[in-house]
Amino acid sequence: MSRLRSRGTFITFEGPDGAGKSTQVKMLAEALAEQRPLVLREPGGTELGERIREILLHQPEGMSAEAEMHLFMAARAELLRTRIEPALAAGRIVIDDRYQDSTLAYQGGGRGAPVEWPPTFPKPDLTVLLVLPPDVGLDRIRSGGKGLDRLDAEPLDFHRAVAAAYDRLAAAEPDRFLRLDARGAPEEIHAQVLGRVRSLLAQSEVRA
Ligand code: TYD
């Protein structure tokens, strides 16, 4: 299935809340500006996805783990069909702030929902995992003044389970994952990400 998107390059960012993903996404997008990457964040990026995002992050009564899993994946399916796949088919670089590994880590690892990787969801060419001890991440969000959403507000044990799930995912696919310590300086992290992305782009040029 992933062979369908032979021309583009699909890069995702993962990690706990407060790890600095959005900063890294922005830095990478700026470094690749000439190539006009499509930059997305999940959940969201489509009209349906934004409505689902609102329910997921702010539904006061919460929801069952399985319903939560399906909602995240429904938003993702819409984003894939309407934005990610067309961009990859046109040969573009797509940078997605969170993707299926988030559902595997949060709903699978954190909540114990039966999450699988649907065969129709392409695997990223590269997944940057920013690693941060969960208590440090939560402190960063609290002091950032953005406020906690429904998932951020979960207890520390939940965030520990998410982190452990991310570690297992990265260990299982070491070629796809670039695992970096999020406590490093943003510029240093960016340099490592960019180095890896450039070699990925060079490889795909050789193949083309
Ligand atoms: P967001 O404000 O975008 O957080 P962040 O800046 O950390 O990406 O909110 C996304 C929240 O949703 C975040 O707590 C992680 C969670 N999430 C899941 O639980 N499962 C998923 O599949 C995705 C995409 C996000």
Side-chain angles (χ1 to χ4, degrees), residues 17 21 53 72 76 98 102-103 106-107 149 151-152:
D17 303 295
K21 276 185 289 81
R53 179 184 177 90
F72 275 113
R76 179 165 308 123
R98 295 197 180 280
S102 281
T103 308
Y106 283 78
Q107 281 64 52
D149 64 46
L151 285 126
D152 298 332

Side-chain angles (χ1 to χ4, degrees), residues 10-16 19-33 36-42 93-99 102 126-130 180 186-187 189-191 193-194 197:
F10 187 20
I11 302 166
T12 60
F13 281 76
E14 295 286 351
K21 276 185 289 81
S22 41
T23 304
Q24 290 302 323
V25 165
K26 203 161 155 254
M27 290 170 99
L28 182 62
E30 278 166 15
L32 300 176
R36 296 195 315 107
L38 174 64
V39 182
L40 300 166
R41 70 142 195 208
E42 294 197 24
I93 298 169
V94 176
I95 304 173
D96 197 1
D97 187 342
R98 295 197 180 280
Y99 184 60
S102 281
L126 171 66
T127 298
V128 179
L129 173 60
L130 297 177
L180 297 172
E187 294 72 24
I189 296 174
H190 170 63
V193 172
L194 191 59
V197 169

Side-chain angles (χ1 to χ4, degrees), residues 176-194:
R176 172 162 71 91
F177 278 89
L178 173 63
R179 197 175 176 283
L180 297 172
D181 188 334
R183 288 168 297 185
E187 294 72 24
E188 279 165 25
I189 296 174
H190 170 63
Q192 298 196 55
V193 172
L194 191 59

Side-chain angles (χ1 to χ4, degrees), residues 117-171:
W117 193 297
T120 51
F121 284 14
K123 280 276 169 107
D125 298 289
L126 171 66
T127 298
V128 179
L129 173 60
L130 297 177
V131 182
L132 191 66
D135 49 333
V136 180
L138 286 178
D139 281 351
R140 281 194 190 180
I141 304 175
R142 288 198 184 99
S143 59
K146 201 179 83 176
L148 298 182
D149 64 46
R150 207 170 53 78
L151 285 126
D152 298 332
E154 288 291 332
L156 196 53
D157 276 352
F158 172 85
H159 294 283
R160 287 204 180 104
V162 170
Y166 269 134
D167 283 343
R168 287 195 297 275
L169 290 166

Side-chain angles (χ1 to χ4, degrees), residues 32-98:
L32 300 176
E34 267 182 26
Q35 289 152 86
R36 296 195 315 107
L38 174 64
V39 182
L40 300 166
R41 70 142 195 208
E42 294 197 24
T46 64
E47 201 199 326
L48 176 63
E50 291 297 332
R51 289 169 72 180
I52 294 176
R53 179 184 177 90
E54 191 53 35
I55 297 171
L56 278 166
L57 299 187
H58 304 294
Q59 163 94 341
E61 308 83 46
M63 62 192 74
S64 69
E66 216 165 329
E68 189 177 278
M69 165 190 92
H70 285 299
L71 283 174
F72 275 113
M73 288 170 66
R76 179 165 308 123
E78 188 69 8
L79 189 66
L80 274 166
R81 298 296 100 83
T82 62
R83 303 201 62 192
I84 297 177
E85 288 178 345
L88 292 173
R92 291 179 69 186
I93 298 169
V94 176
I95 304 173
D96 197 1
D97 187 342
R98 295 197 180 280

